[in-house]
């Protein structure tokens, strides 16, 4: 069981490192994440993953679970907001799948899960609030940094 856990850990860290490298190749992350070692491994992504694991390895399991759920909930809220906004303001975009309901019903479809997610956030502790706020601010900052580095050709 221990060997298989190590193999799963290595596979996940490699996948995450290659994902970071792919994002850098597409221009979503700085070019430093494109660097590979002599053997082709994305070393910057592996080092970044290791640092994140070391930071979160100090937390207890319940806190980690709550943080992961909160981040997933934030991602769902952004998806629902994008669904409603695109449905209301960008009707001309080609969509491979259409939901055959009027626009007001699209808002109504996204309302119950949104309220559920907000109720979960209301029952969370202060650490989740700080972490979620920090994740949003860091994401916004990285987005702005990425736009600036694209303009400068970094």
């Amino acid at each position: 069981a221990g060997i298989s856990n190590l193999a799963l850990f290595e596979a996940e860290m490699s996948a995450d490192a290659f994902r970071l490298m792919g994002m850098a190749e597409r221009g979503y992350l700085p070019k430093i994440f494109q660097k590979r070692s002599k053997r082709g491994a994305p070393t910057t992504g592996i080092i970044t993953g290791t640092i994140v694991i070391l930071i979160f390895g100090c937390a207890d399991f319940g806190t980690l679970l709550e943080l992961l759920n909160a981040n997933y909930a934030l991602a769902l809220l952004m998806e629902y907001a994008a669904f409603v906004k695109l449905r209301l303001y960008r009707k001309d975009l080609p969509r491979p799948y259409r939901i055959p309901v009027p626009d007001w019903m699209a808002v109504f479809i996204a309302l119950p899960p949104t309220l559920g997610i907000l109720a979960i956030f209301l029952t969370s502790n202060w650490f989740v609030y700080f972490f979620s706020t920090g994740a949003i601010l860091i994401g916004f900052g990285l987005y702005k940094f990425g736009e600036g580095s694209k303009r400068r050709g970094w």
Side-chain angles (χ1 to χ4, degrees), residues 6-56:
L6 285 173
L8 284 171
F9 171 76
E10 178 59 37
E12 180 65 30
M13 186 166 28
S14 296
D16 291 342
F18 278 105
R19 191 173 299 119
L20 290 174
M21 187 181 69
M23 290 173 69
E25 288 172 352
R26 291 181 175 208
Y28 295 120
L29 289 175
K31 289 183 181 179
I32 192 168
F33 287 99
Q34 289 179 353
K35 305 245 188 247
R36 291 180 179 239
S37 69
K38 295 177 200 174
R39 304 190 196 292
T43 51
T44 308
I46 292 172
I47 292 169
T48 304
T50 303
I51 290 170
V52 169
I53 289 167
L54 290 174
I55 290 171
F56 286 110

Side-chain angles (χ1 to χ4, degrees), residues 44-150:
T44 308
I46 292 172
I47 292 169
T48 304
T50 303
I51 290 170
V52 169
I53 289 167
L54 290 174
I55 290 171
F56 286 110
C58 301
D60 64 271
F61 182 73
T63 304
L64 285 177
L65 189 64
E66 206 169 341
L67 289 174
L68 288 173
N69 285 337
N71 276 338
Y72 181 68
L74 282 173
L76 283 176
L77 284 177
M78 286 187 250
E79 287 179 24
Y80 295 145
F83 166 70
V84 170
K85 183 175 181 179
L86 290 174
R87 179 73 186 234
L88 295 177
Y89 298 108
R90 298 293 304 269
K91 296 179 185 197
D92 57 329
L93 287 177
R95 296 183 298 238
Y97 304 104
R98 292 191 180 271
I99 300 175
V101 295
D103 291 342
W104 65 269
M105 187 61 122
V107 174
F108 187 72
I109 288 172
L111 192 60
T114 302
L115 293 176
I117 290 170
L118 292 176
I120 289 171
F121 267 113
L122 289 176
T123 61
S124 296
N125 62 18
W126 62 270
F127 188 68
V128 172
Y129 295 139
F130 285 130
F131 185 82
S132 300
T133 304
I136 291 171
L137 292 176
I138 288 172
F140 183 73
L142 286 174
Y143 174 76
K144 290 296 186 184
F145 178 74
E147 282 184 341
S149 63
K150 279 183 189 176

